Amino acid sequence: MPTITTDTDNTEEPPPEAQLKHIKRSSLMLSPSWDAEANSLRHLGDLDDEDTIPVAFFPLKANDPAKKKLLQPSESAGDWSIASGNTTDTSVYSRGSSDDIWGDVPMGAPDAILGIASAFRSCQDPKKVNVCVGAYRDDDGNSYVLPSVRAAEKILWEDNEPKEYLPIEGDKDYVHQALRFAYGPNMDIDTHVAAVQTLSGTGACAIGGRFLAQFWKDHPIYVPDPTWSNHIKIFNQCGLDCRKYRYYNRSTNALDLEGMVEDLKRAKDGSIILLHACAHNPTGCDPSLQQWKEIISIIRQKKHVCFFDSAYQGFASGSAEDDAQAFRYAVSQHVPILLAQSFAKNFGLYGERVGTLSVVCGDEEQRDHILSELRLIIRPLYSSPPRHGSSIVKTVLGDPALKEQYYKECAGMALRIQKMRLKLVQALEKAGSKHDWSHITGQIGMFAFTGMNEEMCRHLTDEFSIFLTMNGRISMAGLNQKNLEYVASSIHAVTDGKSISL
């Protein structure tokens, strides 16, 4: 395809040696030209493919400086310019207009968590330990695929799982199983829940954020302080006014219920309140059911909208039913609810990107309206979700034997995490630490919020090659019998004689 640099202001006649031809727009790759008067780029991209454009073709002289830019290295001095051939020298565009347009693009800041993971991989210390990324590891430090997941994949293979596109809203059977998993057996999900399959929990939060920005305008969203770092990025990008409410008291290493309640009461009526359904990330500190009831009561009084993020159902306590109590209680109190679900952690499907977004509705007509708008949000973003991961989840949850097996396996993962909490505290005591580490055993889920400050965390990484986030969060799944004592003695070394509370 010929490459033509367009200059619509140039009305001069072509030189006599030029050959004037009319070429279809579809045959040309048109580079933009600069309109100084309008202070903008001009291009001919608005033309239809069948429209024709007069183009002057002329041979390049041997000493023409443009020759080096426009000719292929193998072409000779007598060849025509690139516009006369059927091949394109892509270097013409990259060395010209691209440099001018993209020259001011800055280097983006690296993602904090993924950057730490990259540093871990490049570290040569044989004692290095990764307690940063939230992915489950077995007691040998290996990644773990649930046997129930492997069994489901075998079934899908034997059934010749198709590779066709899913609908915009995803696999209907998968969505039904996911909603039943979250809402329980008594919810009329066919009437009162509008739901779509999403790209894991991140995608669910993003779709939900866009929906709220469009249909619940001028209402801020409050997220807990601290929260998963991606929450704020997602909701800011959706155009929501993202604010914080107090959640964790670092001076006591415990839930700041008083501060949380006060902030929820002060928030503008109808605000959106992001809540972690269970296993709060990064603190691992969850309200008790009685505290949840107090929180939901205030949300109801203030007519706030609840946006639950459920990334660890079943993985937190080992019981999917227990981990859903707070969320289901909120549903029973008839507060407006959105739910983001992820099956990355509890099913170990990290790379499959399986999730759902659901909105509790008043009736079937409202459900249909909301579902239609969710489709409109999804369609220009990624059109339809991937199929394989959702097929695994629906196969496991839809087969009674596999479902029972899965519940046992998920409970086993949760139990190992709980044991690691206890053993870490015991190892810290054995190392000689005089601190009270009981908050670690009181927390739940993938992470422990240790109380270490940034200086301590950097010391752990720089001197001991223990990689963690700078807020003191460690992934309990990264601990095992082989590295536990080393991690504990290292933590003791950086915290001895210093405060682990602010």
Side-chain angles (χ1 to χ4, degrees):
M1 181 182 292
T3 301
I4 305 297
T5 301
T6 63
D7 187 352
T8 54
D9 290 333
N10 188 354
T11 57
E12 295 181 5
E13 292 295 323
E17 67 271 22
Q19 297 181 20
L20 189 64
K21 296 182 180 181
H22 286 77
I23 308 254
K24 285 185 179 181
R25 165 67 179 86
S26 58
S27 299
L28 298 171
M29 185 170 69
L30 298 169
S31 301
S33 61
W34 183 257
D35 185 336
E37 184 176 336
N39 196 32
S40 64
L41 289 170
R42 301 182 65 175
H43 58 86
L44 300 182
D46 292 336
L47 293 173
D48 293 332
D49 283 348
E50 295 302 311
D51 290 340
T52 60
I53 302 169
V55 178
F57 290 76
F58 54 92
L60 291 174
K61 297 177 182 179
N63 60 351
D64 193 327
K67 181 178 178 60
K68 292 182 179 179
K69 177 180 286 189
L70 292 176
L71 292 183
Q72 297 281 1
S74 61
E75 293 178 321
S76 62
D79 288 338
W80 292 81
S81 75
I82 189 129
S84 65
N86 291 321
T87 60
T88 300
D89 180 0
T90 55
S91 65
V92 173
Y93 192 91
S94 64
R95 288 204 302 266
S97 301
S98 286
D99 289 350
D100 296 336
I101 294 173
W102 309 125
D104 293 332
V105 176
M107 175 64 74
D111 182 88
I113 293 177
L114 298 184
I116 294 170
S118 177
F120 170 79
R121 288 192 295 270
S122 63
C123 178
Q124 300 301 311
D125 188 342
K127 292 184 178 181
K128 67 179 181 178
V129 180
N130 184 359
V131 286
C132 172
V133 179
Y136 183 79
R137 298 289 183 264
D138 64 20
D139 205 37
D140 292 320
N142 299 319
S143 60
Y144 178 65
V145 179
L146 275 65
S148 57
V149 166
R150 287 297 191 210
E153 288 187 308
K154 182 179 179 181
I155 291 171
L156 293 172
W157 173 260
E158 292 172 348
D159 289 347
N160 292 317
E161 176 194 13
K163 300 300 181 184
E164 293 289 337
Y165 288 122
L166 288 174
I168 297 173
E169 65 271 25
D171 184 324
K172 181 180 179 181
D173 292 338
Y174 154 75
V175 172
H176 180 87
Q177 292 290 351
L179 296 182
R180 189 59 71 206
F181 183 72
Y183 288 85
N186 300 322
M187 181 71 171
D188 183 1
I189 56 178
D190 294 327
T191 301
H192 294 295
V193 183
V196 293
Q197 182 178 337
T198 61
L199 304 182
S200 202
T202 303
C205 288
I207 299 301
R210 287 172 182 251
F211 176 81
L212 289 166
Q214 186 173 352
F215 296 103
W216 197 240
K217 296 179 180 178
D218 302 322
H219 292 85
I221 183 167
Y222 284 83
V223 302
D225 183 15
T227 191
W228 178 46
S229 59
N230 220 19
H231 278 145
I232 296 173
K233 298 173 186 176
I234 291 169
F235 296 129
N236 281 340
Q237 196 172 81
C238 291
L240 293 171
D241 176 10
C242 197
R243 306 177 186 180
K244 295 179 180 180
Y245 63 83
R246 284 171 285 177
Y247 184 84
Y248 190 79
N249 188 336
R250 294 200 64 154
S251 65
T252 61
N253 288 316
L255 179 72
D256 185 2
L257 181 64
E258 183 179 347
M260 180 180 181
V261 166
E262 186 176 327
D263 288 348
L264 295 181
K265 287 180 177 179
R266 286 180 176 176
K268 170 186 173 183
D269 286 6
S271 293
I272 307 156
I273 311 299
L274 182 81
L275 300 163
H276 296 225
C278 63
H280 180 272
N281 178 7
T283 69
C285 182
D286 286 357
S288 67
L289 184 57
Q290 190 58 43
Q291 289 170 329
W292 271 118
K293 290 180 177 180
E294 182 179 354
I295 292 165
I296 299 303
S297 174
I298 294 164
I299 288 174
R300 184 178 182 182
Q301 293 169 22
K302 294 285 292 182
K303 296 181 171 53
H304 292 328
V305 175
C306 283
F307 195 160
F308 277 93
D309 187 355
S310 180
Y312 298 94
Q313 185 183 349
F315 189 93
S317 68
S319 166
E321 298 301 302
D322 289 349
D323 290 345
Q325 283 189 68
F327 165 71
R328 292 179 186 176
Y329 177 78
V331 174
S332 73
Q333 297 305 297
H334 306 289
V335 296
I337 285 178
L338 286 81
L339 171 67
Q341 281 177 277
S342 168
F343 290 95
K345 304 295 195 301
N346 53 3
F347 268 71
L349 297 174
Y350 306 100
E352 300 291 353
R353 314 312 292 147
V354 192
T356 65
L357 172 74
S358 54
V359 184
V360 177
C361 314
D363 54 35
E364 194 168 350
E365 180 181 9
Q366 192 178 84
R367 182 208 65 185
D368 291 344
H369 287 192
I370 292 173
L371 186 57
S372 71
E373 294 295 346
L374 293 176
R375 291 192 189 103
L376 291 176
I377 293 172
I378 291 170
R379 175 60 172 161
L381 291 176
Y382 55 86
S383 193
S384 63
R387 174 186 288 272
H388 185 65
S390 59
S391 295
I392 293 172
V393 173
K394 77 173 182 180
T395 300
V396 171
L397 294 180
D399 182 295
L402 276 183
K403 185 177 181 179
E404 182 180 359
Q405 178 184 342
Y406 160 72
Y407 279 151
K408 291 179 180 177
E409 292 165 358
C410 190
M413 291 192 292
L415 180 61
R416 195 186 90 77
I417 296 295
Q418 292 165 11
K419 287 181 177 179
M420 282 297 106
R421 290 184 181 278
L422 179 59
K423 289 183 177 181
L424 175 60
V425 172
Q426 291 173 340
L428 284 164
E429 293 172 351
K430 181 180 178 182
S433 178
K434 303 302 181 183
H435 289 301
D436 178 7
W437 297 99
S438 61
H439 56 284
I440 290 180
T441 53
Q443 294 165 359
I444 193 171
M446 179 77 77
F447 302 108
F449 215 47
T450 61
M452 290 186 290
N453 60 30
E454 182 174 346
E455 180 184 355
M456 297 170 183
C457 295
R458 291 195 184 280
H459 192 181
L460 269 181
T461 300
D462 295 342
E463 184 170 338
F464 300 99
S465 300
I466 297 174
F467 293 81
L468 71 165
T469 54
M470 295 298 104
N471 60 3
R473 186 196 80 169
I474 64 173
S475 172
M476 299 304 301
L479 298 180
N480 55 61
Q481 294 297 334
K482 297 176 183 178
N483 62 28
L484 184 65
E485 289 191 2
Y486 175 68
V487 171
S489 63
S490 301
I491 291 176
H492 173 52
V494 303
T495 60
D496 190 27
K498 302 173 184 177
S499 175
I500 57 168
S501 59
L502 299 181

PDB file of all heavy atoms in Angstrom, residues 429-447:
ATOM      1  N   GLU A 429       8.170 -15.169  67.992  1.00  0.00           N
ATOM      2  CA  GLU A 429       8.464 -15.293  69.421  1.00  0.00           C
ATOM      3  C   GLU A 429       9.743 -16.088  69.637  1.00  0.00           C
ATOM      4  O   GLU A 429      10.589 -15.738  70.479  1.00  0.00           O
ATOM      5  CB  GLU A 429       7.285 -15.966  70.133  1.00  0.00           C
ATOM      6  CG  GLU A 429       6.014 -15.113  70.143  1.00  0.00           C
ATOM      7  CD  GLU A 429       4.813 -15.871  70.676  1.00  0.00           C
ATOM      8  OE1 GLU A 429       4.940 -17.112  70.880  1.00  0.00           O
ATOM      9  OE2 GLU A 429       3.750 -15.251  70.873  1.00  0.00           O
ATOM     10  N   LYS A 430       9.915 -17.141  68.868  1.00  0.00           N
ATOM     11  CA  LYS A 430      11.118 -17.974  68.973  1.00  0.00           C
ATOM     12  C   LYS A 430      12.365 -17.182  68.577  1.00  0.00           C
ATOM     13  O   LYS A 430      13.453 -17.369  69.156  1.00  0.00           O
ATOM     14  CB  LYS A 430      10.964 -19.201  68.071  1.00  0.00           C
ATOM     15  CG  LYS A 430      12.141 -20.144  68.123  1.00  0.00           C
ATOM     16  CD  LYS A 430      11.908 -21.351  67.199  1.00  0.00           C
ATOM     17  CE  LYS A 430      13.112 -22.279  67.202  1.00  0.00           C
ATOM     18  NZ  LYS A 430      12.902 -23.440  66.269  1.00  0.00           N
ATOM     19  N   ALA A 431      12.195 -16.255  67.617  1.00  0.00           N
ATOM     20  CA  ALA A 431      13.324 -15.431  67.174  1.00  0.00           C
ATOM     21  C   ALA A 431      13.713 -14.387  68.209  1.00  0.00           C
ATOM     22  O   ALA A 431      14.763 -13.745  68.081  1.00  0.00           O
ATOM     23  CB  ALA A 431      12.988 -14.757  65.847  1.00  0.00           C
ATOM     24  N   GLY A 432      12.855 -14.190  69.217  1.00  0.00           N
ATOM     25  CA  GLY A 432      13.164 -13.247  70.284  1.00  0.00           C
ATOM     26  C   GLY A 432      12.362 -11.970  70.252  1.00  0.00           C
ATOM     27  O   GLY A 432      12.624 -11.046  71.040  1.00  0.00           O
ATOM     28  N   SER A 433      11.354 -11.879  69.368  1.00  0.00           N
ATOM     29  CA  SER A 433      10.570 -10.652  69.282  1.00  0.00           C
ATOM     30  C   SER A 433       9.726 -10.453  70.537  1.00  0.00           C
ATOM     31  O   SER A 433       9.109 -11.398  71.049  1.00  0.00           O
ATOM     32  CB  SER A 433       9.655 -10.693  68.059  1.00  0.00           C
ATOM     33  OG  SER A 433       8.863  -9.528  67.994  1.00  0.00           O
ATOM     34  N   LYS A 434       9.702  -9.211  71.032  1.00  0.00           N
ATOM     35  CA  LYS A 434       8.903  -8.868  72.206  1.00  0.00           C
ATOM     36  C   LYS A 434       7.596  -8.165  71.824  1.00  0.00           C
ATOM     37  O   LYS A 434       6.811  -7.791  72.694  1.00  0.00           O
ATOM     38  CB  LYS A 434       9.712  -7.957  73.143  1.00  0.00           C
ATOM     39  CG  LYS A 434      11.043  -8.556  73.599  1.00  0.00           C
ATOM     40  CD  LYS A 434      10.851  -9.898  74.316  1.00  0.00           C
ATOM     41  CE  LYS A 434      12.190 -10.474  74.781  1.00  0.00           C
ATOM     42  NZ  LYS A 434      12.029 -11.815  75.416  1.00  0.00           N
ATOM     43  N   HIS A 435       7.372  -7.992  70.549  1.00  0.00           N
ATOM     44  CA  HIS A 435       6.151  -7.325  70.097  1.00  0.00           C
ATOM     45  C   HIS A 435       4.934  -8.235  70.279  1.00  0.00           C
ATOM     46  O   HIS A 435       5.046  -9.473  70.306  1.00  0.00           O
ATOM     47  CB  HIS A 435       6.246  -6.944  68.613  1.00  0.00           C
ATOM     48  CG  HIS A 435       7.200  -5.815  68.342  1.00  0.00           C
ATOM     49  ND1 HIS A 435       7.057  -4.572  68.903  1.00  0.00           N
ATOM     50  CD2 HIS A 435       8.303  -5.757  67.550  1.00  0.00           C
ATOM     51  CE1 HIS A 435       8.034  -3.780  68.468  1.00  0.00           C
ATOM     52  NE2 HIS A 435       8.807  -4.477  67.653  1.00  0.00           N
ATOM     53  N   ASP A 436       3.768  -7.609  70.359  1.00  0.00           N
ATOM     54  CA  ASP A 436       2.498  -8.338  70.351  1.00  0.00           C
ATOM     55  C   ASP A 436       2.062  -8.496  68.895  1.00  0.00           C
ATOM     56  O   ASP A 436       1.663  -7.531  68.241  1.00  0.00           O
ATOM     57  CB  ASP A 436       1.444  -7.560  71.150  1.00  0.00           C
ATOM     58  CG  ASP A 436       0.082  -8.253  71.136  1.00  0.00           C
ATOM     59  OD1 ASP A 436      -0.004  -9.391  70.632  1.00  0.00           O
ATOM     60  OD2 ASP A 436      -0.903  -7.631  71.605  1.00  0.00           O
ATOM     61  N   TRP A 437       2.154  -9.713  68.386  1.00  0.00           N
ATOM     62  CA  TRP A 437       1.801  -9.998  66.995  1.00  0.00           C
ATOM     63  C   TRP A 437       0.427 -10.654  66.883  1.00  0.00           C
ATOM     64  O   TRP A 437       0.094 -11.232  65.834  1.00  0.00           O
ATOM     65  CB  TRP A 437       2.838 -10.917  66.358  1.00  0.00           C
ATOM     66  CG  TRP A 437       4.213 -10.320  66.266  1.00  0.00           C
ATOM     67  CD1 TRP A 437       5.264 -10.536  67.112  1.00  0.00           C
ATOM     68  CD2 TRP A 437       4.688  -9.397  65.274  1.00  0.00           C
ATOM     69  NE1 TRP A 437       6.370  -9.822  66.714  1.00  0.00           N
ATOM     70  CE2 TRP A 437       6.044  -9.106  65.577  1.00  0.00           C
ATOM     71  CE3 TRP A 437       4.112  -8.788  64.156  1.00  0.00           C
ATOM     72  CZ2 TRP A 437       6.821  -8.244  64.814  1.00  0.00           C
ATOM     73  CZ3 TRP A 437       4.887  -7.928  63.389  1.00  0.00           C
ATOM     74  CH2 TRP A 437       6.218  -7.659  63.719  1.00  0.00           C
ATOM     75  N   SER A 438      -0.385 -10.550  67.904  1.00  0.00           N
ATOM     76  CA  SER A 438      -1.675 -11.258  67.904  1.00  0.00           C
ATOM     77  C   SER A 438      -2.616 -10.754  66.810  1.00  0.00           C
ATOM     78  O   SER A 438      -3.546 -11.467  66.410  1.00  0.00           O
ATOM     79  CB  SER A 438      -2.351 -11.124  69.275  1.00  0.00           C
ATOM     80  OG  SER A 438      -2.610  -9.762  69.592  1.00  0.00           O
ATOM     81  N   HIS A 439      -2.380  -9.531  66.313  1.00  0.00           N
ATOM     82  CA  HIS A 439      -3.251  -9.040  65.246  1.00  0.00           C
ATOM     83  C   HIS A 439      -3.114  -9.889  63.982  1.00  0.00           C
ATOM     84  O   HIS A 439      -4.061  -9.973  63.188  1.00  0.00           O
ATOM     85  CB  HIS A 439      -2.939  -7.569  64.922  1.00  0.00           C
ATOM     86  CG  HIS A 439      -1.518  -7.295  64.566  1.00  0.00           C
ATOM     87  ND1 HIS A 439      -0.509  -7.230  65.512  1.00  0.00           N
ATOM     88  CD2 HIS A 439      -0.915  -7.065  63.367  1.00  0.00           C
ATOM     89  CE1 HIS A 439       0.642  -6.972  64.907  1.00  0.00           C
ATOM     90  NE2 HIS A 439       0.430  -6.870  63.609  1.00  0.00           N
ATOM     91  N   ILE A 440      -1.972 -10.534  63.811  1.00  0.00           N
ATOM     92  CA  ILE A 440      -1.782 -11.380  62.627  1.00  0.00           C
ATOM     93  C   ILE A 440      -2.691 -12.603  62.682  1.00  0.00           C
ATOM     94  O   ILE A 440      -3.316 -12.984  61.687  1.00  0.00           O
ATOM     95  CB  ILE A 440      -0.303 -11.804  62.491  1.00  0.00           C
ATOM     96  CG1 ILE A 440       0.544 -10.585  62.116  1.00  0.00           C
ATOM     97  CG2 ILE A 440      -0.141 -12.910  61.455  1.00  0.00           C
ATOM     98  CD1 ILE A 440       2.021 -10.883  61.958  1.00  0.00           C
ATOM     99  N   THR A 441      -2.796 -13.215  63.839  1.00  0.00           N
ATOM    100  CA  THR A 441      -3.674 -14.381  63.967  1.00  0.00           C
ATOM    101  C   THR A 441      -5.144 -13.974  64.008  1.00  0.00           C
ATOM    102  O   THR A 441      -6.024 -14.784  63.708  1.00  0.00           O
ATOM    103  CB  THR A 441      -3.335 -15.189  65.227  1.00  0.00           C
ATOM    104  OG1 THR A 441      -3.346 -14.317  66.366  1.00  0.00           O
ATOM    105  CG2 THR A 441      -1.962 -15.828  65.104  1.00  0.00           C
ATOM    106  N   GLY A 442      -5.415 -12.724  64.324  1.00  0.00           N
ATOM    107  CA  GLY A 442      -6.799 -12.247  64.336  1.00  0.00           C
ATOM    108  C   GLY A 442      -7.300 -11.846  62.970  1.00  0.00           C
ATOM    109  O   GLY A 442      -8.510 -11.647  62.777  1.00  0.00           O
ATOM    110  N   GLN A 443      -6.402 -11.706  62.015  1.00  0.00           N
ATOM    111  CA  GLN A 443      -6.790 -11.338  60.651  1.00  0.00           C
ATOM    112  C   GLN A 443      -7.180 -12.579  59.859  1.00  0.00           C
ATOM    113  O   GLN A 443      -7.011 -13.708  60.314  1.00  0.00           O
ATOM    114  CB  GLN A 443      -5.636 -10.580  59.979  1.00  0.00           C
ATOM    115  CG  GLN A 443      -5.354  -9.240  60.641  1.00  0.00           C
ATOM    116  CD  GLN A 443      -4.008  -8.643  60.246  1.00  0.00           C
ATOM    117  OE1 GLN A 443      -3.247  -9.240  59.474  1.00  0.00           O
ATOM    118  NE2 GLN A 443      -3.686  -7.476  60.792  1.00  0.00           N
ATOM    119  N   ILE A 444      -7.681 -12.358  58.632  1.00  0.00           N
ATOM    120  CA  ILE A 444      -8.222 -13.464  57.858  1.00  0.00           C
ATOM    121  C   ILE A 444      -7.915 -13.261  56.382  1.00  0.00           C
ATOM    122  O   ILE A 444      -7.741 -12.134  55.921  1.00  0.00           O
ATOM    123  CB  ILE A 444      -9.756 -13.568  58.087  1.00  0.00           C
ATOM    124  CG1 ILE A 444     -10.313 -14.895  57.568  1.00  0.00           C
ATOM    125  CG2 ILE A 444     -10.488 -12.387  57.453  1.00  0.00           C
ATOM    126  CD1 ILE A 444     -11.765 -15.128  57.981  1.00  0.00           C
ATOM    127  N   GLY A 445      -7.816 -14.377  55.655  1.00  0.00           N
ATOM    128  CA  GLY A 445      -7.644 -14.286  54.215  1.00  0.00           C
ATOM    129  C   GLY A 445      -6.195 -14.354  53.774  1.00  0.00           C
ATOM    130  O   GLY A 445      -5.301 -14.764  54.519  1.00  0.00           O
ATOM    131  N   MET A 446      -5.951 -13.929  52.561  1.00  0.00           N
ATOM    132  CA  MET A 446      -4.640 -14.062  51.916  1.00  0.00           C
ATOM    133  C   MET A 446      -3.548 -13.266  52.621  1.00  0.00           C
ATOM    134  O   MET A 446      -2.408 -13.710  52.711  1.00  0.00           O
ATOM    135  CB  MET A 446      -4.757 -13.581  50.462  1.00  0.00           C
ATOM    136  CG  MET A 446      -3.471 -13.622  49.660  1.00  0.00           C
ATOM    137  SD  MET A 446      -3.030 -15.273  49.098  1.00  0.00           S
ATOM    138  CE  MET A 446      -4.160 -15.486  47.724  1.00  0.00           C
ATOM    139  N   PHE A 447      -3.902 -12.076  53.153  1.00  0.00           N
ATOM    140  CA  PHE A 447      -2.872 -11.142  53.581  1.00  0.00           C
ATOM    141  C   PHE A 447      -2.858 -10.918  55.088  1.00  0.00           C
ATOM    142  O   PHE A 447      -3.872 -11.055  55.763  1.00  0.00           O
ATOM    143  CB  PHE A 447      -3.054  -9.796  52.885  1.00  0.00           C
ATOM    144  CG  PHE A 447      -3.022  -9.902  51.380  1.00  0.00           C
ATOM    145  CD1 PHE A 447      -4.171  -9.739  50.630  1.00  0.00           C
ATOM    146  CD2 PHE A 447      -1.834 -10.187  50.723  1.00  0.00           C
ATOM    147  CE1 PHE A 447      -4.149  -9.856  49.259  1.00  0.00           C
ATOM    148  CE2 PHE A 447      -1.794 -10.301  49.344  1.00  0.00           C
ATOM    149  CZ  PHE A 447      -2.954 -10.136  48.607  1.00  0.00           C
TER     150      PHE A 447
END
